[in-house]
Amino acid sequence: MLSHSEENYLKTIYHLSEKESPVSTNAIAEALNTKPASVTDMIKKLNTKGFINYQKYKGTTLTSTGNKEALLIIRKHRLWEVFLLEKLNFNWDEVHEVAEQLEHIKSKLMIERLDEFLGFPQHDPHGDPIPNKNGEFDVLEAIKLTNIECKKKVVVVAVQDSNSSLLQYLDKMGIGIGSKLYITEKIEFDQSLEITINDRDKKIISALVSENILVKED
């Protein structure tokens, strides 16, 4: 049985491997806010248990067993986020931290019952796909808002960063999953965008914010 810390490492390596593979020790240390020496100790332990492949100076990859475990943790996390939002009336900027605690519950039966109770949701409150019990999920087809041309209509399908400050800011701007955006102008000076939200409100958002909003053409 994996410890909470080991589960966190597997989940972190999975997410980092979406951007680079193999994953470096320094990248894991930065993501988990810990020392590289501590990361090295843990990945050696996970390597011995067969959850990762580790080569000194080259980096870390998940084995098929490690990948399966990581997807199970991610599945639990995202289902709990849906539960917290839909059934306990948490805001979307509040669910991540609580789900970080709930994702370590071991009962597979409970997670299957939770999935059924929620109506087998396909995405979490931030638009990320929820793996099914076999670890399968549809790849999110989306483009960063910053890469969309002017005079295009798009719909928000996900946010790339679940940082609570960003989500609170988007709430203040009236932007959420399903919001329809129309780009009226890209400001050359700083690449900020002038947009219309749901055919009503005209706002200006920074390049950093638009980098974290994922959309598809409407």
Side-chain angles (χ1 to χ4, degrees):
M1 186 175 291
L2 289 163
S3 69
H4 290 191
S5 180
E6 288 171 332
E7 290 185 342
N8 286 337
Y9 267 80
L10 292 180
K11 184 179 68 171
T12 298
I13 293 168
Y14 178 90
H15 286 311
L16 290 172
S17 68
E18 294 179 311
K19 298 178 181 177
E20 66 167 17
S21 185
V23 179
S24 70
T25 298
N26 286 338
I28 299 170
E30 183 178 354
L32 291 172
N33 194 26
T34 190
K35 296 178 181 179
S38 299
V39 173
T40 299
D41 290 341
M42 177 59 82
I43 60 180
K44 284 180 178 178
K45 183 188 296 185
L46 290 170
N47 184 71
T48 299
K49 289 185 174 184
F51 291 105
I52 65 169
N53 291 314
Y54 169 64
Q55 289 184 291
K56 193 174 183 180
Y57 306 122
K58 290 188 177 181
T60 299
T61 57
L62 293 172
T63 63
S64 58
T65 301
N67 193 71
K68 182 179 178 180
E69 288 295 329
L71 285 169
L72 175 60
I73 299 159
I74 291 166
R75 168 174 165 77
K76 290 188 287 184
H77 181 99
R78 293 176 179 174
L79 283 172
W80 282 120
E81 286 192 334
V82 175
F83 176 78
L84 292 166
L85 182 87
E86 293 187 357
K87 306 303 180 182
L88 297 186
N89 299 318
F90 279 70
N91 294 325
W92 71 332
D93 61 285
E94 299 172 321
V95 297
H96 179 75
E97 186 175 343
V98 181
E100 286 280 294
Q101 302 168 49
L102 293 169
E103 70 185 26
H104 298 294
I105 292 174
K106 302 299 183 185
S107 172
K108 291 185 179 180
L109 177 60
M110 183 176 185
I111 297 306
E112 300 317 308
R113 295 280 176 86
L114 177 64
D115 193 15
E116 182 180 7
F117 175 68
L118 294 171
F120 305 103
Q122 301 297 303
H123 299 89
D124 73 8
H126 311 115
D128 292 312
I130 299 174
N132 65 20
K133 62 182 179 181
N134 298 317
E136 302 163 339
F137 60 92
D138 292 330
V139 176
L140 183 66
E141 299 290 342
I143 307 169
K144 292 180 180 180
L145 181 61
T146 190
N147 294 332
I148 298 293
E149 297 175 4
C150 288
K151 312 302 179 183
K152 291 277 189 179
K153 288 185 177 181
V154 295
V155 60
V156 178
V157 295
V159 288
Q160 192 160 266
D161 190 340
S162 57
N163 178 283
S164 60
S165 296
L166 171 65
L167 298 176
Q168 289 166 13
Y169 175 78
L170 292 177
D171 266 343
K172 186 176 180 180
M173 298 291 283
I175 299 173
I177 305 300
S179 293
K180 295 186 177 182
L181 310 179
Y182 178 72
I183 303 172
T184 56
E185 183 182 358
K186 180 174 285 189
I187 299 168
E188 186 176 346
F189 173 69
D190 60 0
Q191 300 301 299
S192 57
L193 299 180
E194 182 181 80
I195 60 174
T196 300
I197 305 166
N198 293 325
D199 298 320
R200 294 192 304 271
D201 303 318
K202 185 171 285 188
K203 305 281 187 180
I204 293 178
I205 59 173
S206 70
L208 179 59
V209 171
S210 63
E211 277 275 335
N212 282 287
I213 298 175
L214 301 178
V215 300
K216 64 180 181 181
E217 291 194 22
D218 189 16

mmCIF file with all atom_site columns, all heavy atoms in Angstrom, residues 33-51:
data_model
loop_
_atom_site.group_PDB
_atom_site.id
_atom_site.type_symbol
_atom_site.label_atom_id
_atom_site.label_alt_id
_atom_site.label_comp_id
_atom_site.label_asym_id
_atom_site.label_entity_id
_atom_site.label_seq_id
_atom_site.pdbx_PDB_ins_code
_atom_site.Cartn_x
_atom_site.Cartn_y
_atom_site.Cartn_z
_atom_site.occupancy
_atom_site.B_iso_or_equiv
_atom_site.pdbx_formal_charge
_atom_site.auth_seq_id
_atom_site.auth_comp_id
_atom_site.auth_asym_id
_atom_site.auth_atom_id
_atom_site.pdbx_PDB_model_num
ATOM 1   N N   . ASN A 1 33 ? 8.051  21.437 -3.735  1.00 0.00 ? 33 ASN A N   1
ATOM 2   C CA  . ASN A 1 33 ? 8.644  22.374 -2.781  1.00 0.00 ? 33 ASN A CA  1
ATOM 3   C C   . ASN A 1 33 ? 9.483  21.645 -1.730  1.00 0.00 ? 33 ASN A C   1
ATOM 4   O O   . ASN A 1 33 ? 9.319  21.836 -0.524  1.00 0.00 ? 33 ASN A O   1
ATOM 5   C CB  . ASN A 1 33 ? 7.560  23.218 -2.103  1.00 0.00 ? 33 ASN A CB  1
ATOM 6   C CG  . ASN A 1 33 ? 8.135  24.413 -1.360  1.00 0.00 ? 33 ASN A CG  1
ATOM 7   O OD1 . ASN A 1 33 ? 9.210  24.916 -1.703  1.00 0.00 ? 33 ASN A OD1 1
ATOM 8   N ND2 . ASN A 1 33 ? 7.450  24.857 -0.315  1.00 0.00 ? 33 ASN A ND2 1
ATOM 9   N N   . THR A 1 34 ? 10.373 20.789 -2.195  1.00 0.00 ? 34 THR A N   1
ATOM 10  C CA  . THR A 1 34 ? 11.241 20.037 -1.305  1.00 0.00 ? 34 THR A CA  1
ATOM 11  C C   . THR A 1 34 ? 12.659 20.007 -1.868  1.00 0.00 ? 34 THR A C   1
ATOM 12  O O   . THR A 1 34 ? 12.915 20.542 -2.954  1.00 0.00 ? 34 THR A O   1
ATOM 13  C CB  . THR A 1 34 ? 10.716 18.599 -1.096  1.00 0.00 ? 34 THR A CB  1
ATOM 14  O OG1 . THR A 1 34 ? 11.443 17.971 -0.045  1.00 0.00 ? 34 THR A OG1 1
ATOM 15  C CG2 . THR A 1 34 ? 10.824 17.780 -2.374  1.00 0.00 ? 34 THR A CG2 1
ATOM 16  N N   . LYS A 1 35 ? 13.584 19.392 -1.163  1.00 0.00 ? 35 LYS A N   1
ATOM 17  C CA  . LYS A 1 35 ? 14.983 19.372 -1.577  1.00 0.00 ? 35 LYS A CA  1
ATOM 18  C C   . LYS A 1 35 ? 15.248 18.226 -2.559  1.00 0.00 ? 35 LYS A C   1
ATOM 19  O O   . LYS A 1 35 ? 14.680 17.135 -2.417  1.00 0.00 ? 35 LYS A O   1
ATOM 20  C CB  . LYS A 1 35 ? 15.882 19.218 -0.349  1.00 0.00 ? 35 LYS A CB  1
ATOM 21  C CG  . LYS A 1 35 ? 15.811 20.397 0.619   1.00 0.00 ? 35 LYS A CG  1
ATOM 22  C CD  . LYS A 1 35 ? 16.682 20.153 1.836   1.00 0.00 ? 35 LYS A CD  1
ATOM 23  C CE  . LYS A 1 35 ? 16.603 21.329 2.816   1.00 0.00 ? 35 LYS A CE  1
ATOM 24  N NZ  . LYS A 1 35 ? 17.430 21.097 4.028   1.00 0.00 ? 35 LYS A NZ  1
ATOM 25  N N   . PRO A 1 36 ? 16.128 18.457 -3.546  1.00 0.00 ? 36 PRO A N   1
ATOM 26  C CA  . PRO A 1 36 ? 16.467 17.388 -4.497  1.00 0.00 ? 36 PRO A CA  1
ATOM 27  C C   . PRO A 1 36 ? 16.935 16.106 -3.821  1.00 0.00 ? 36 PRO A C   1
ATOM 28  O O   . PRO A 1 36 ? 16.645 15.010 -4.296  1.00 0.00 ? 36 PRO A O   1
ATOM 29  C CB  . PRO A 1 36 ? 17.569 18.012 -5.348  1.00 0.00 ? 36 PRO A CB  1
ATOM 30  C CG  . PRO A 1 36 ? 17.285 19.480 -5.307  1.00 0.00 ? 36 PRO A CG  1
ATOM 31  C CD  . PRO A 1 36 ? 16.771 19.740 -3.913  1.00 0.00 ? 36 PRO A CD  1
ATOM 32  N N   . ALA A 1 37 ? 17.647 16.236 -2.700  1.00 0.00 ? 37 ALA A N   1
ATOM 33  C CA  . ALA A 1 37 ? 18.138 15.040 -1.995  1.00 0.00 ? 37 ALA A CA  1
ATOM 34  C C   . ALA A 1 37 ? 16.972 14.198 -1.477  1.00 0.00 ? 37 ALA A C   1
ATOM 35  O O   . ALA A 1 37 ? 17.024 12.959 -1.526  1.00 0.00 ? 37 ALA A O   1
ATOM 36  C CB  . ALA A 1 37 ? 19.038 15.445 -0.838  1.00 0.00 ? 37 ALA A CB  1
ATOM 37  N N   . SER A 1 38 ? 15.921 14.869 -1.007  1.00 0.00 ? 38 SER A N   1
ATOM 38  C CA  . SER A 1 38 ? 14.741 14.142 -0.538  1.00 0.00 ? 38 SER A CA  1
ATOM 39  C C   . SER A 1 38 ? 14.035 13.451 -1.691  1.00 0.00 ? 38 SER A C   1
ATOM 40  O O   . SER A 1 38 ? 13.528 12.328 -1.548  1.00 0.00 ? 38 SER A O   1
ATOM 41  C CB  . SER A 1 38 ? 13.772 15.112 0.163   1.00 0.00 ? 38 SER A CB  1
ATOM 42  O OG  . SER A 1 38 ? 14.375 15.714 1.273   1.00 0.00 ? 38 SER A OG  1
ATOM 43  N N   . VAL A 1 39 ? 13.998 14.128 -2.843  1.00 0.00 ? 39 VAL A N   1
ATOM 44  C CA  . VAL A 1 39 ? 13.389 13.539 -4.041  1.00 0.00 ? 39 VAL A CA  1
ATOM 45  C C   . VAL A 1 39 ? 14.160 12.298 -4.462  1.00 0.00 ? 39 VAL A C   1
ATOM 46  O O   . VAL A 1 39 ? 13.572 11.260 -4.782  1.00 0.00 ? 39 VAL A O   1
ATOM 47  C CB  . VAL A 1 39 ? 13.353 14.562 -5.197  1.00 0.00 ? 39 VAL A CB  1
ATOM 48  C CG1 . VAL A 1 39 ? 12.869 13.892 -6.476  1.00 0.00 ? 39 VAL A CG1 1
ATOM 49  C CG2 . VAL A 1 39 ? 12.465 15.738 -4.837  1.00 0.00 ? 39 VAL A CG2 1
ATOM 50  N N   . THR A 1 40 ? 15.478 12.377 -4.459  1.00 0.00 ? 40 THR A N   1
ATOM 51  C CA  . THR A 1 40 ? 16.304 11.236 -4.851  1.00 0.00 ? 40 THR A CA  1
ATOM 52  C C   . THR A 1 40 ? 16.020 10.030 -3.968  1.00 0.00 ? 40 THR A C   1
ATOM 53  O O   . THR A 1 40 ? 15.895 8.891  -4.461  1.00 0.00 ? 40 THR A O   1
ATOM 54  C CB  . THR A 1 40 ? 17.803 11.602 -4.767  1.00 0.00 ? 40 THR A CB  1
ATOM 55  O OG1 . THR A 1 40 ? 18.070 12.681 -5.661  1.00 0.00 ? 40 THR A OG1 1
ATOM 56  C CG2 . THR A 1 40 ? 18.677 10.408 -5.144  1.00 0.00 ? 40 THR A CG2 1
ATOM 57  N N   . ASP A 1 41 ? 15.888 10.251 -2.659  1.00 0.00 ? 41 ASP A N   1
ATOM 58  C CA  . ASP A 1 41 ? 15.587 9.144  -1.732  1.00 0.00 ? 41 ASP A CA  1
ATOM 59  C C   . ASP A 1 41 ? 14.245 8.504  -2.076  1.00 0.00 ? 41 ASP A C   1
ATOM 60  O O   . ASP A 1 41 ? 14.112 7.278  -2.085  1.00 0.00 ? 41 ASP A O   1
ATOM 61  C CB  . ASP A 1 41 ? 15.566 9.650  -0.285  1.00 0.00 ? 41 ASP A CB  1
ATOM 62  C CG  . ASP A 1 41 ? 16.944 10.023 0.234   1.00 0.00 ? 41 ASP A CG  1
ATOM 63  O OD1 . ASP A 1 41 ? 17.940 9.572  -0.373  1.00 0.00 ? 41 ASP A OD1 1
ATOM 64  O OD2 . ASP A 1 41 ? 17.024 10.764 1.229   1.00 0.00 ? 41 ASP A OD2 1
ATOM 65  N N   . MET A 1 42 ? 13.239 9.342  -2.363  1.00 0.00 ? 42 MET A N   1
ATOM 66  C CA  . MET A 1 42 ? 11.911 8.815  -2.637  1.00 0.00 ? 42 MET A CA  1
ATOM 67  C C   . MET A 1 42 ? 11.858 8.080  -3.976  1.00 0.00 ? 42 MET A C   1
ATOM 68  O O   . MET A 1 42 ? 11.252 7.007  -4.078  1.00 0.00 ? 42 MET A O   1
ATOM 69  C CB  . MET A 1 42 ? 10.880 9.939  -2.624  1.00 0.00 ? 42 MET A CB  1
ATOM 70  C CG  . MET A 1 42 ? 9.456  9.490  -2.973  1.00 0.00 ? 42 MET A CG  1
ATOM 71  S SD  . MET A 1 42 ? 8.779  8.234  -1.858  1.00 0.00 ? 42 MET A SD  1
ATOM 72  C CE  . MET A 1 42 ? 8.213  9.295  -0.510  1.00 0.00 ? 42 MET A CE  1
ATOM 73  N N   . ILE A 1 43 ? 12.488 8.629  -4.998  1.00 0.00 ? 43 ILE A N   1
ATOM 74  C CA  . ILE A 1 43 ? 12.399 7.967  -6.306  1.00 0.00 ? 43 ILE A CA  1
ATOM 75  C C   . ILE A 1 43 ? 13.184 6.654  -6.316  1.00 0.00 ? 43 ILE A C   1
ATOM 76  O O   . ILE A 1 43 ? 12.823 5.723  -7.034  1.00 0.00 ? 43 ILE A O   1
ATOM 77  C CB  . ILE A 1 43 ? 12.827 8.896  -7.463  1.00 0.00 ? 43 ILE A CB  1
ATOM 78  C CG1 . ILE A 1 43 ? 14.251 9.387  -7.324  1.00 0.00 ? 43 ILE A CG1 1
ATOM 79  C CG2 . ILE A 1 43 ? 11.868 10.055 -7.598  1.00 0.00 ? 43 ILE A CG2 1
ATOM 80  C CD1 . ILE A 1 43 ? 14.692 10.314 -8.448  1.00 0.00 ? 43 ILE A CD1 1
ATOM 81  N N   . LYS A 1 44 ? 14.217 6.556  -5.500  1.00 0.00 ? 44 LYS A N   1
ATOM 82  C CA  . LYS A 1 44 ? 14.916 5.283  -5.365  1.00 0.00 ? 44 LYS A CA  1
ATOM 83  C C   . LYS A 1 44 ? 13.988 4.241  -4.736  1.00 0.00 ? 44 LYS A C   1
ATOM 84  O O   . LYS A 1 44 ? 13.963 3.073  -5.146  1.00 0.00 ? 44 LYS A O   1
ATOM 85  C CB  . LYS A 1 44 ? 16.181 5.454  -4.514  1.00 0.00 ? 44 LYS A CB  1
ATOM 86  C CG  . LYS A 1 44 ? 17.321 6.131  -5.247  1.00 0.00 ? 44 LYS A CG  1
ATOM 87  C CD  . LYS A 1 44 ? 18.541 6.277  -4.347  1.00 0.00 ? 44 LYS A CD  1
ATOM 88  C CE  . LYS A 1 44 ? 19.703 6.927  -5.104  1.00 0.00 ? 44 LYS A CE  1
ATOM 89  N NZ  . LYS A 1 44 ? 20.899 7.117  -4.228  1.00 0.00 ? 44 LYS A NZ  1
ATOM 90  N N   . LYS A 1 45 ? 13.209 4.688  -3.740  1.00 0.00 ? 45 LYS A N   1
ATOM 91  C CA  . LYS A 1 45 ? 12.259 3.799  -3.078  1.00 0.00 ? 45 LYS A CA  1
ATOM 92  C C   . LYS A 1 45 ? 11.163 3.357  -4.056  1.00 0.00 ? 45 LYS A C   1
ATOM 93  O O   . LYS A 1 45 ? 10.826 2.165  -4.135  1.00 0.00 ? 45 LYS A O   1
ATOM 94  C CB  . LYS A 1 45 ? 11.626 4.508  -1.880  1.00 0.00 ? 45 LYS A CB  1
ATOM 95  C CG  . LYS A 1 45 ? 10.663 3.644  -1.064  1.00 0.00 ? 45 LYS A CG  1
ATOM 96  C CD  . LYS A 1 45 ? 9.931  4.458  -0.009  1.00 0.00 ? 45 LYS A CD  1
ATOM 97  C CE  . LYS A 1 45 ? 10.884 5.016  1.022   1.00 0.00 ? 45 LYS A CE  1
ATOM 98  N NZ  . LYS A 1 45 ? 10.139 5.712  2.117   1.00 0.00 ? 45 LYS A NZ  1
ATOM 99  N N   . LEU A 1 46 ? 10.627 4.306  -4.821  1.00 0.00 ? 46 LEU A N   1
ATOM 100 C CA  . LEU A 1 46 ? 9.578  3.985  -5.787  1.00 0.00 ? 46 LEU A CA  1
ATOM 101 C C   . LEU A 1 46 ? 10.110 3.130  -6.930  1.00 0.00 ? 46 LEU A C   1
ATOM 102 O O   . LEU A 1 46 ? 9.400  2.299  -7.490  1.00 0.00 ? 46 LEU A O   1
ATOM 103 C CB  . LEU A 1 46 ? 8.953  5.276  -6.336  1.00 0.00 ? 46 LEU A CB  1
ATOM 104 C CG  . LEU A 1 46 ? 8.105  6.077  -5.345  1.00 0.00 ? 46 LEU A CG  1
ATOM 105 C CD1 . LEU A 1 46 ? 7.741  7.442  -5.924  1.00 0.00 ? 46 LEU A CD1 1
ATOM 106 C CD2 . LEU A 1 46 ? 6.830  5.316  -4.974  1.00 0.00 ? 46 LEU A CD2 1
ATOM 107 N N   . ASN A 1 47 ? 11.374 3.329  -7.270  1.00 0.00 ? 47 ASN A N   1
ATOM 108 C CA  . ASN A 1 47 ? 12.018 2.508  -8.300  1.00 0.00 ? 47 ASN A CA  1
ATOM 109 C C   . ASN A 1 47 ? 12.116 1.053  -7.826  1.00 0.00 ? 47 ASN A C   1
ATOM 110 O O   . ASN A 1 47 ? 11.815 0.115  -8.575  1.00 0.00 ? 47 ASN A O   1
ATOM 111 C CB  . ASN A 1 47 ? 13.400 3.064  -8.609  1.00 0.00 ? 47 ASN A CB  1
ATOM 112 C CG  . ASN A 1 47 ? 14.093 2.322  -9.743  1.00 0.00 ? 47 ASN A CG  1
ATOM 113 O OD1 . ASN A 1 47 ? 13.709 2.443  -10.899 1.00 0.00 ? 47 ASN A OD1 1
ATOM 114 N ND2 . ASN A 1 47 ? 15.112 1.537  -9.407  1.00 0.00 ? 47 ASN A ND2 1
ATOM 115 N N   . THR A 1 48 ? 12.511 0.871  -6.574  1.00 0.00 ? 48 THR A N   1
ATOM 116 C CA  . THR A 1 48 ? 12.619 -0.467 -5.995  1.00 0.00 ? 48 THR A CA  1
ATOM 117 C C   . THR A 1 48 ? 11.262 -1.164 -5.949  1.00 0.00 ? 48 THR A C   1
ATOM 118 O O   . THR A 1 48 ? 11.158 -2.375 -6.175  1.00 0.00 ? 48 THR A O   1
ATOM 119 C CB  . THR A 1 48 ? 13.199 -0.374 -4.563  1.00 0.00 ? 48 THR A CB  1
ATOM 120 O OG1 . THR A 1 48 ? 14.502 0.216  -4.624  1.00 0.00 ? 48 THR A OG1 1
ATOM 121 C CG2 . THR A 1 48 ? 13.308 -1.752 -3.925  1.00 0.00 ? 48 THR A CG2 1
ATOM 122 N N   . LYS A 1 49 ? 10.208 -0.396 -5.700  1.00 0.00 ? 49 LYS A N   1
ATOM 123 C CA  . LYS A 1 49 ? 8.861  -0.956 -5.625  1.00 0.00 ? 49 LYS A CA  1
ATOM 124 C C   . LYS A 1 49 ? 8.248  -1.199 -7.002  1.00 0.00 ? 49 LYS A C   1
ATOM 125 O O   . LYS A 1 49 ? 7.171  -1.791 -7.106  1.00 0.00 ? 49 LYS A O   1
ATOM 126 C CB  . LYS A 1 49 ? 7.947  -0.016 -4.830  1.00 0.00 ? 49 LYS A CB  1
ATOM 127 C CG  . LYS A 1 49 ? 8.252  0.026  -3.330  1.00 0.00 ? 49 LYS A CG  1
ATOM 128 C CD  . LYS A 1 49 ? 7.220  0.882  -2.601  1.00 0.00 ? 49 LYS A CD  1
ATOM 129 C CE  . LYS A 1 49 ? 7.413  0.821  -1.092  1.00 0.00 ? 49 LYS A CE  1
ATOM 130 N NZ  . LYS A 1 49 ? 6.361  1.570  -0.361  1.00 0.00 ? 49 LYS A NZ  1
ATOM 131 N N   . GLY A 1 50 ? 8.907  -0.718 -8.057  1.00 0.00 ? 50 GLY A N   1
ATOM 132 C CA  . GLY A 1 50 ? 8.427  -0.983 -9.401  1.00 0.00 ? 50 GLY A CA  1
ATOM 133 C C   . GLY A 1 50 ? 7.434  0.020  -9.952  1.00 0.00 ? 50 GLY A C   1
ATOM 134 O O   . GLY A 1 50 ? 6.797  -0.236 -10.985 1.00 0.00 ? 50 GLY A O   1
ATOM 135 N N   . PHE A 1 51 ? 7.340  1.190  -9.312  1.00 0.00 ? 51 PHE A N   1
ATOM 136 C CA  . PHE A 1 51 ? 6.395  2.198  -9.777  1.00 0.00 ? 51 PHE A CA  1
ATOM 137 C C   . PHE A 1 51 ? 7.018  3.186  -10.770 1.00 0.00 ? 51 PHE A C   1
ATOM 138 O O   . PHE A 1 51 ? 6.294  3.831  -11.531 1.00 0.00 ? 51 PHE A O   1
ATOM 139 C CB  . PHE A 1 51 ? 5.807  2.969  -8.595  1.00 0.00 ? 51 PHE A CB  1
ATOM 140 C CG  . PHE A 1 51 ? 4.893  2.150  -7.739  1.00 0.00 ? 51 PHE A CG  1
ATOM 141 C CD1 . PHE A 1 51 ? 5.306  1.682  -6.505  1.00 0.00 ? 51 PHE A CD1 1
ATOM 142 C CD2 . PHE A 1 51 ? 3.617  1.838  -8.175  1.00 0.00 ? 51 PHE A CD2 1
ATOM 143 C CE1 . PHE A 1 51 ? 4.470  0.906  -5.717  1.00 0.00 ? 51 PHE A CE1 1
ATOM 144 C CE2 . PHE A 1 51 ? 2.765  1.069  -7.396  1.00 0.00 ? 51 PHE A CE2 1
ATOM 145 C CZ  . PHE A 1 51 ? 3.195  0.596  -6.167  1.00 0.00 ? 51 PHE A CZ  1
#
